[in-house]
Amino acid sequence: METMPDGRTLESAVALASRAPSLHNSQPWRWTLDADELALFSDSDRILPATDPSGRQMVLSCGAVLHHLRVALTARHWATVVERMPDATNRRCLATLRFRRLDAVTDIDLRMAEAIGRRRTERLPMGAPQEWARAESALQMLVEPAGVRLSAIAEHERPALEELSRRIGGERRSDLAYQTELSWWAGHGMYPDGIPPDALPPGRRTVATEREFPPGNATGESAEAEDRAAILLLSTTTDTRLDWLRSGEALSAVLLACTARGLATCSVTHLTESESSRAFLRETARIEGVPQVMIRVGVRAGPGPDAATPRRPTSAILFRKQS
Ligand SMILES: Cc1cc2nc3c(=O)[nH]c(=O)nc-3n(C[C@H](O)[C@H](O)[C@H](O)COP(=O)(O)O)c2cc1C
């Protein structure tokens, strides 16, 4: 029985998985491959200390790439058996994967894999998603097996959320370490990482519930003036590194499922970065757990960003273990 995809299959799946979202497109992941196992490590050189001192979002980003990889491999007829946090002596080792050949692949599997290449973070105002109640309960079922809860922020709570977002944006304008980090990662487009100006809205089009970025030149011809996106929150009961990894996997599942339905998405985390804003979100979403990431979901009003944001080459993230 085959127990390992060939090198080309694994390489192409790792390359596709690297389209996963990550905080400021930092891509904080590394894969190592040996004879019968692939391992995922966080790359702590790529942590953003001023924005993400605990590494919560570094691990969340790695969870997203892990889920992307599993989706990419399923479409190539390979199931994965994952062990999370397999090595108590090495915090950077987040998961190991073993493989089993799959006879059949469903249409849904293929649509999720196809969504990987089409997904973009949409930061312009969006229209309201249609037939949303049904879609929302389908998304809830999608994340439940990962031990992650999906809640919707009620429409009447939006002004309070916008107010909190503005307050945090204002406080951070004078936070030199945060601003230095943000301008290193966002708004230049010179490197195979970071957020290029084309993916950032001009200042006047910034959505009130979004993080404040340096102004860019993303355009949408007939883009909505006001954001009508649904706002979702992923949360967990406890707040361990395993919860962060699981939340990243759930985030990826929600983003791909929405993309497959033709919806636009945006991950939003400036409101989950401090204990006080997490407490506010907990109250606003009427949940008992720990808010991990917000997601805006809606209808892209204009053409949206055409070009994908850059990624590092596979040679910089996939390494073969010497035996
Ligand atoms: C953990 C995490 C946090 C993120 N936080 C934000 C955010 O606060 N605001 C935002 O606009 N995008 C956020 N993003 C989206 C990334 O900026 C985006 O994935 C990255 O720039 C790559 O672009 P792409 O998603 O279009 O491929 C986040 C993504 C992840 C995984």
Side-chain angles (χ1 to χ4, degrees), residues 16 68 70-76 105 107-118 256 260:
L16 184 61
H68 266 53
R70 299 185 74 195
V71 170
L73 279 169
T74 303
R76 288 161 174 73
V105 173
D107 276 357
I108 295 178
D109 294 332
L110 294 175
R111 283 217 300 276
M112 289 287 274
E114 190 263 340
I116 293 179
R118 277 192 295 119
L256 294 182

Side-chain angles (χ1 to χ4, degrees), residues 41-277:
F41 292 82
S42 58
D43 181 348
S44 40
D45 288 349
R46 294 183 158 261
I47 197 169
L48 277 67
T51 313
D52 182 33
S54 65
R56 173 192 304 275
Q57 297 181 73
M58 177 181 69
V59 177
L60 258 151
S61 303
C62 290
V65 84
L66 173 61
H67 180 265
H68 266 53
L69 181 84
R70 299 185 74 195
V71 170
L73 279 169
T74 303
R76 288 161 174 73
H77 288 254
W78 285 96
T80 39
V81 180
V82 180
E83 192 181 348
R84 294 171 182 81
M85 309 296 170
D87 183 352
T89 64
N90 185 350
R91 280 162 58 86
R92 283 181 297 171
C93 185
L94 299 177
T96 50
L97 291 87
R98 289 178 178 254
F99 309 93
R100 185 171 48 77
R101 190 89 184 126
L102 269 180
D103 293 333
V105 173
T106 66
D107 276 357
I108 295 178
D109 294 332
L110 294 175
R111 283 217 300 276
M112 289 287 274
E114 190 263 340
I116 293 179
R118 277 192 295 119
R119 187 203 58 79
R120 310 273 187 272
T121 296
E122 171 63 64
R123 297 186 178 86
L124 290 169
M126 300 175 196
Q130 305 300 307
E131 296 180 29
W132 182 236
R134 245 193 24 222
E136 196 185 297
S137 43
L139 294 174
Q140 262 157 3
M141 288 194 305
L142 197 64
V143 303
E144 258 170 29
V148 177
R149 182 167 160 189
L150 180 142
S151 330
I153 305 268
E155 193 49 39
H156 66 266
E157 300 285 7
R158 189 188 291 261
L161 204 62
E162 291 178 352
E163 178 51 34
L164 175 70
S165 180
R166 270 192 290 271
R167 182 153 58 74
I168 288 182
E171 282 165 13
R172 281 184 153 173
R173 261 172 250 148
S174 55
D175 180 339
L176 190 61
Y178 175 86
Q179 290 299 332
T180 306
E181 199 164 83
L182 188 65
S183 55
W184 167 262
W185 286 101
H188 47 67
M190 289 184 289
Y191 306 108
D193 41 25
I195 310 177
D198 288 357
L200 295 171
R204 68 195 154 78
R205 306 290 310 280
T206 298
V207 169
T209 49
E210 243 286 41
R211 189 190 293 276
E212 272 185 25
F213 284 104
N217 45 36
T219 50
E221 264 164 30
S222 58
E224 305 271 321
E226 219 184 314
D227 187 49
R228 307 306 322 156
I231 303 178
L232 303 177
L233 182 66
L234 296 184
S235 59
T236 50
T237 309
T238 52
D239 200 22
T240 63
R241 284 166 66 80
L242 179 60
D243 292 315
W244 302 346
L245 189 72
R246 289 289 209 171
S247 298
E249 292 176 73
L251 171 66
S252 165
V254 170
L255 298 181
L256 294 182
C258 290
T259 306
R261 284 170 182 260
L263 292 168
T265 56
C266 181
S267 315
V268 181
T269 46
H270 64 307
L271 303 183
T272 47
E273 283 164 2
S274 76
E275 183 43 49
S276 61
S277 57

